[in-house]
Amino acid sequence: MTRYGAAGHTPPSASGAVPGTANSSGRVPDELGLVLAQAAVQVIQATGGYAGGVYLRSGTPGLLRLAVLVGLPGQLLRPWWRMHVNRPFPVAEAYRSGQPINLADAEEAMRRFPQLMAGLPFPFGSLYAPMTSGRDKFGVLVVLRPATPGIPVGHADRRRMIDAAERLGTALAELAADGTTVEWNGEPLLVQMPATTTQQVRICHFDWDVDSGTLTGDEDLCAILGIDPAGFPGTIEALSVRVAPEDVYGLWTVARQAAESTRPVVRRMRLLGADGQARLVELSCRRAPHGSGPGRRLSGHLVDLGTGPIVAEAPDRLPEGIFSLDRVGRITYANHSAASLLGRTRPELMGRVLWEVLPWFAHPAYEDHYRAALLSHDSVHFLARRAAQEWLSVSLYPGHDGITVTVTAAEKPAYAPGSVATPGRGLGSPAYRAAALYRPVALAIALTEAVTARQVSAVVTEELLPAFGGRQLAIYVLSERHLYLAWETGFPKGFLDRFDGVALDARLPGVETLTTGRPIFFESMERLADAYPGIPLDASVGARAFLPLIASGRPVGSCILGFDQPRGFSPEERTVLTALAGLIAQALERARRYDTEAALARGLQDALLPHRLPVLGNVDTVGRYLAGTQGMDVGGDWYDVIDTGRGLALVIGDVQGHGVAAAATMGQLRSAVRAFALAGLDPQQVMGGTNRLLIGLDPGQFASCCYIVLDPETGATQAVRAGHPQPLLRHPDGRTEVLDLAGGVVLGVDAGASYPVTGLRLEPGAVLALYTDGLVEEAGADIDVGIDRLRSTLASIGSATLTDTADRLIREARQATDRPDDIALLLAARWTEAP
C-alpha cells in the first residue's frame, strides 16, 4: 500500500510544484494528491474563494494535517499545517461534529473561534465542510474568500461546499477500498489557482508576396486584424492600415530584411486591434524556399501578445521598484528599478519564490504582512531592512490572482521597525485597528480555558508567538522574592538554567521589568548587550521584549519574548504587548490558586479510593484511576475489591457530574456497597439497597454501577448492572468479547427498580475488565466504537502480566491532552494457582 505524504513521498517544492512534475524528477503525480487538489480548486472557484485547501487525517491519532494548500504560500501558513481534532478551531470542530461551518466575516469568526482570529486577525470569510463516507471520517475541505460583513453565507454556496465534500469523501472511500492508505503525514502540496485575468495569445500563419503585395492567411489572421474573413481583400495594405503610421516603414523594412536573408527574422511592432487598442505583435518570417513561385516571397507567423507587454514597458521607466507575485509567492514580473533595489537581476528573480531568492524577506514580521494582504485583500505598508544600512519602503497591493509590490529606498528609521505595519493607508485604518483589537481579546478568551500554569504557558506559545512573529518564550514565576523558570520554548537547551532562581536584586532585564513594572524592549541583541554589559547572550541576533506580569497590583513574574531577527516595536505594539502581559498575569494567578485547590481536591478523592486491593489465591486484581484534564473539579468514578468471605466482589461505579458533591456521593456509595457486601447480601440485594440509599441521600443524584461476585475456587460469578457499560472478558485463548449482562436503570431513579443477576464462569487464564465510560468515550464518536477499540486492545495484549495489561489499556487515554471525564479501570484474572 502507498502511504501518501509519508517518509517515502516526495515533498512538494517550495515553489508549489506537485510531485511528479518537472520539479520532482519526472514522477507521475500522486493520485491522492491530484484528487484532493482538483476538488479544492473546483470548490474554491465555485464559491467565489481565492484560496483554500484540504486537511486530511494522519497516522497520528487525533491529528489532522494540511494535505493541499491552494492559492497561498506554504511558508506563511506553516503554524496551521497541523491541527489536533480537540483544538478550538473551525477545522477541528467540523471534523469532530461532522457538520459544516460557515463564517461570513471576521466578527462572526471572532465570536465563535477567537483562537483562530488571534493568529489570523484579518477580515476574511471562510467555509469548512467535513469529508465523510458513511461512518468514516477523512478530513475537512476549506475555502477562504472575501468577507461579507453583515451578510451570511448564502444557501447556494453552503450547498456547493457540502456537495463537494460529499463527492470528495466518496472518492477517498473508493481509493481506500482499492488499497490506498488515505492519510497525510508530510508537508502540504502547494497548488496555484488558475488566473482569472489571463489574456488569450493568438497565433496565425501567413504567406506574403513582397513584390505583388498579395497576402494570404488563415482565420486567426483575420481575427487579429478584426476583419471578416469573407471580406478580407488578401493584400498587405489591409494589414498596413492596422499598423501604427510610424511603424509602416518598419514593417516593410522587416520584409526586405527577411527576403534578403537566409535566416528567419523576428521583430515586434504595434498593431491596432479590432477594439481600437494598440497591441503588441511578433512577426516571425523567412524567405520562402526556391521553387515556390516567382518573386520575393515570405512565410511566417504573427503572434498577438495582447496589451499586457505594452503596459509592462511603462514600469521599466519608473524610478520606483515594482514587482508582482502570484498567490504562492513566486515572482512573475519585476521592473528594472525593483531588480536594482532588491540586488538581483531579473533572470534571478523571475519564477522564484520571494523568500527563497531574497532570504531577508523571510522575517516573521514581514510574513505577517503578507498574510494580512493575502487574506484581507487590503493594502499593507511597512519598512524592511535589506542590509545593515539599507532600508526599503514596501507596499503590498493584493488582488484575486496575486500581489503587486512597490519598493523604494528609505532612510534609516529612528528605531528598527521590523514589523511596524500600516495596513490600508495608515495606523488608523479599520484593518489595523481590528488586528490590534483581536489579539488581546482573542488571547483573553483563550486564557479563560486554561486552568493550570502549563496550560496558560501553552496558550501563550500557541496564540501569542505566531501573532507577533516570535520564536522564543520564557515565563518566570515569583516565589519568595526569587524568579523561577516555569516555561520555556525556542531557547538553546540549558541556556536559561543560569537565570533560574535569581533574586529580585539581580541586575537583569527579566528582574527589572517586574520590579519597576515597566516593559523593556530591545530592537537587537546588540542593544541588549549595551544596556546590560556582561549579560550572558545566546547565539540569536534578534530582538527581545521583557514584560512584567502583574495581576491587580501584585507581582506574579516576568515574560520574555524572543525574535530571530532584529526588529522594532511600534507604540501600538508596545501597548498591545503590555496589555497582554496583564492578561497572562491574571491567568497565572488564577492557575496558581487552581493548583493549590486541585491538589487538595485530588487528595480528598485519593483518600476515598482503595489504597490496597485484597489478595486471594487463584485471583489477581489490578485497579487504575486517571483524572480528567478539563476543569479542576474531581470526579465521581470509583472501583473496589471486597473479600466478602463467600467470594470476591468486584465493584466499579460512576457518579454523575463532577466536584466535591460528586466525590462525597461516591464515598458514600462505596461505603454502602462495601457494608451490604460484608453483611452477606446477594448481588441483587446489594444493588437494590444501594439504589434506595442514594435516593434517600440525594434524590437529584444518579450513578451507574457494575457489581460482580467471583468464586476464586470454581470461577463461578454472579453479576448485576445498573446502567453501566458492559464488562469485557478475554478468554484463555485470547478471544475477547463484550459481555451481555442483564441490567437495570441507573441508581437514584426508581426506588422499586429491580436488578437481575447474570451467571457466568471465569475459566483459569481468563481476564475480566470493568471500566467507566471515560475510557471509551470520544467526542463526536459512538461509544460502541470506543468499546470495540478497547476490546481489540485487550485481545492483542497476549500473555502480559495483569499490571502491564492495565497500563497498556490506559496508556492511550493518558496521551490525550483533553479528557473531559475521569477514568476508572479494574481488571481481575483467575489463575490455576496463585500468581
Side-chain angles (χ1 to χ4, degrees):
M1 293 191 296
T2 302
R3 184 180 296 271
Y4 294 90
H9 176 73
T10 301
S13 71
S15 63
V18 176
T21 65
N23 289 335
S24 56
S25 304
R27 288 183 55 197
V28 176
D30 292 328
E31 179 65 20
L32 178 60
L34 286 176
V35 169
L36 297 177
Q38 180 181 1
V41 169
Q42 288 177 344
V43 74
I44 292 170
Q45 293 175 325
T47 56
Y50 53 76
V54 180
Y55 280 88
L56 206 62
R57 64 192 183 188
S58 69
T60 302
L63 181 67
L64 302 177
R65 283 184 177 270
L66 185 60
V68 169
L69 178 61
V70 181
L72 288 173
Q75 179 174 337
L76 299 190
L77 273 294
R78 182 176 290 273
W80 294 272
W81 284 9
R82 296 158 53 95
M83 180 67 62
H84 197 279
V85 297
N86 287 330
R87 296 285 289 143
F89 285 85
V91 169
E93 182 170 313
Y95 184 85
R96 289 195 312 267
S97 66
Q99 299 297 318
I101 295 174
N102 304 282
L103 304 174
D105 56 16
E107 182 178 352
E108 184 177 6
M110 179 66 192
R111 185 176 65 254
R112 298 181 58 186
F113 300 97
Q115 286 83 346
L116 171 68
M117 303 311 296
L120 298 171
F122 316 116
F124 65 94
S126 53
L127 315 176
Y128 310 83
M131 306 177 306
T132 61
S133 179
R135 298 178 64 178
D136 203 356
K137 296 181 179 180
F138 294 108
V140 178
L141 189 60
V142 182
V143 169
L144 304 182
R145 64 183 203 167
T148 55
I151 304 175
V153 178
H155 173 75
D157 287 339
R158 293 171 183 256
R159 189 69 257 172
R160 292 186 185 101
M161 279 293 294
I162 294 173
D163 291 344
E166 289 178 350
R167 289 193 298 269
L168 186 51
T170 300
L172 294 177
E174 292 174 353
L175 285 177
D178 291 339
T180 298
T181 301
V182 182
E183 62 183 39
W184 203 265
N185 296 291
E187 297 185 357
L189 300 179
L190 305 183
V191 180
Q192 173 73 310
M193 282 287 291
T196 58
T197 58
T198 301
Q199 291 181 313
Q200 179 182 6
V201 176
R202 293 177 294 192
I203 304 175
C204 67
H205 181 268
F206 67 88
D207 285 297
W208 179 8
D209 187 326
V210 178
D211 293 327
S212 67
T214 302
L215 180 72
T216 59
D218 53 21
E219 292 185 358
D220 286 331
L221 176 64
C222 294
I224 294 175
L225 297 176
I227 299 175
D228 182 1
F232 178 50
T235 65
I236 190 62
E237 286 77 7
L239 177 63
S240 297
V241 298
R242 298 289 179 179
V243 177
E246 61 272 21
D247 288 335
V248 171
Y249 285 91
L251 174 63
W252 284 95
T253 300
V254 171
R256 292 189 175 185
Q257 286 178 346
E260 296 170 0
S261 173
T262 59
R263 297 181 179 181
V265 175
V266 179
R267 292 292 186 272
R268 288 187 177 184
M269 63 183 61
R270 292 174 179 83
L271 182 71
L272 294 179
D275 54 4
Q277 293 185 355
R279 313 177 75 83
L280 189 68
V281 297
E282 185 172 275
L283 181 68
S284 174
C285 57
R286 65 184 305 160
R287 185 174 60 188
H290 294 294
S292 59
R296 292 174 296 180
R297 302 180 62 84
L298 303 179
S299 64
H301 297 85
L302 189 68
V303 182
D304 177 13
L305 299 176
T307 60
I310 299 177
V311 176
E313 295 174 0
D316 277 336
R317 307 184 186 103
L318 297 176
E320 183 180 43
I322 299 175
F323 65 95
S324 61
L325 306 172
D326 62 19
R327 291 198 66 88
V328 297
R330 292 176 300 200
I331 300 173
T332 57
Y333 171 78
N335 70 350
H336 288 308
S337 297
S340 176
L341 288 167
L342 298 177
R344 294 287 191 274
T345 64
R346 284 207 276 196
E348 290 175 328
L349 294 172
M350 297 300 292
R352 299 285 303 279
V353 175
L354 177 65
W355 303 277
E356 291 181 350
V357 70
L358 302 172
W360 52 273
F361 252 126
H363 189 289
Y366 305 158
E367 291 179 354
D368 196 45
H369 303 329
Y370 281 97
R371 275 193 292 268
L374 287 167
L375 293 177
S376 70
H377 283 195
D378 288 338
S379 57
V380 178
H381 313 275
F382 61 95
L383 291 178
R385 184 165 66 176
R386 187 174 82 88
Q389 300 298 325
E390 296 182 24
W391 292 85
L392 297 176
S393 176
V394 182
S395 295
L396 310 178
Y397 299 94
H400 190 278
D401 295 325
I403 296 179
T404 296
V405 186
T406 63
V407 290
T408 57
E411 296 292 331
K412 181 180 179 180
Y415 59 90
S419 69
V420 178
T422 55
R425 284 292 180 181
L427 290 172
S429 69
Y432 190 85
R433 289 198 303 269
L437 175 63
Y438 283 145
R439 283 168 175 163
V441 174
L443 182 63
I445 295 174
L447 287 173
T448 61
E449 300 179 1
V451 294
T452 68
R454 177 169 292 274
Q455 290 173 344
V456 170
S457 302
V459 166
V460 176
T461 301
E462 296 169 1
E463 310 294 353
L464 180 62
L465 284 185
F468 286 88
R471 289 293 183 269
Q472 297 168 316
L473 171 70
I475 293 179
Y476 287 83
V477 176
L478 179 64
S479 178
E480 298 180 352
R481 297 189 57 79
H482 287 73
L483 285 174
Y484 294 94
L485 183 62
W487 179 275
E488 66 168 305
T489 183
F491 285 93
K493 185 177 181 180
F495 173 74
L496 295 179
D497 292 347
R498 70 198 74 190
F499 305 109
D500 192 14
V502 296
L504 291 186
D505 58 359
R507 190 174 184 274
L508 295 169
V511 173
E512 293 189 3
T513 189
L514 180 62
T515 56
T516 63
R518 293 183 294 101
I520 305 174
F521 299 92
F522 296 101
E523 298 143 8
S524 66
M525 296 300 283
E526 290 85 353
R527 298 285 182 89
L528 175 58
D530 291 342
Y532 293 87
I535 187 174
L537 301 175
D538 61 2
S540 173
V541 297
R544 289 287 187 273
F546 296 85
L547 307 174
L549 302 180
I550 301 175
S552 302
R554 296 187 303 275
V556 175
S558 59
C559 175
I560 304 173
L561 297 180
F563 302 85
D564 289 345
Q565 299 294 329
R567 57 159 289 165
F569 299 91
S570 69
E572 290 78 13
E573 284 186 313
R574 294 174 186 238
T575 300
V576 171
L577 285 171
T578 303
L580 295 179
L583 297 177
I584 296 168
Q586 293 283 357
L588 283 174
E589 185 72 3
R590 186 178 65 249
R592 180 181 296 179
R593 292 196 302 269
Y594 162 79
D595 289 337
T596 301
E597 295 173 7
L600 293 174
R602 295 301 180 194
L604 169 64
Q605 187 178 42
D606 185 62
L608 296 175
L609 291 172
H611 292 174
R612 180 180 300 176
L613 299 180
V615 178
L616 273 73
N618 296 341
V619 175
D620 188 14
T621 59
V622 173
R624 291 287 184 271
Y625 175 82
L626 187 62
T629 61
Q630 295 184 359
M632 73 174 189
D633 288 336
V634 294
D637 295 21
W638 91 93
Y639 64 87
D640 204 356
V641 178
I642 308 165
D643 183 1
T644 67
R646 297 185 300 173
L648 197 64
L650 309 174
V651 190
I652 197 161
D654 185 359
V655 177
Q656 181 194 43
H658 296 82
V660 176
T665 301
M666 177 268 282
Q668 291 172 312
L669 291 184
R670 176 174 176 253
S671 298
V673 171
R674 176 171 285 272
F676 290 142
L678 292 174
L681 300 184
D682 60 38
Q684 187 176 28
Q685 292 173 321
V686 170
M687 196 65 74
T690 305
N691 176 49
R692 291 187 293 274
L693 175 68
L694 178 58
I695 293 175
L697 289 172
D698 186 352
Q701 188 66 275
F702 311 124
S704 67
C705 185
C706 186
Y707 180 87
I708 299 177
V709 178
L710 168 65
D711 185 336
E713 296 295 331
T714 66
T717 65
Q718 290 184 307
V720 292
R721 192 172 60 88
H724 201 80
Q726 295 280 6
L728 302 180
L729 177 61
R730 190 183 74 193
H731 296 274
D733 60 2
R735 180 173 56 89
T736 305
E737 62 176 318
V738 181
L739 294 178
D740 186 16
L741 303 182
V745 298
V746 294
L747 304 176
V749 174
D750 180 7
S754 62
Y755 298 94
V757 176
T758 302
L760 63 148
R761 184 173 299 278
L762 204 65
E763 302 174 277
V767 176
L768 189 64
L770 289 77
Y771 53 91
T772 56
D773 54 12
L775 185 60
V776 292
E777 280 187 330
E778 182 179 345
D782 194 302
I783 191 173
D784 290 339
V785 175
I787 292 176
D788 188 65
R789 182 172 58 246
L790 181 65
R791 180 198 60 78
S792 298
T793 304
L794 180 61
S796 65
I797 291 177
S799 59
T801 66
L802 204 62
T803 297
D804 290 342
T805 299
D807 292 339
R808 169 77 181 278
L809 291 178
I810 211 165
R811 186 177 300 140
E812 292 184 6
R814 188 182 297 274
Q815 292 175 349
T817 56
D818 290 315
R819 294 189 303 276
D821 204 358
D822 294 2
I823 295 171
L825 173 68
L826 178 62
L827 300 182
R830 180 168 175 258
W831 312 99
T832 54
E833 58 182 19

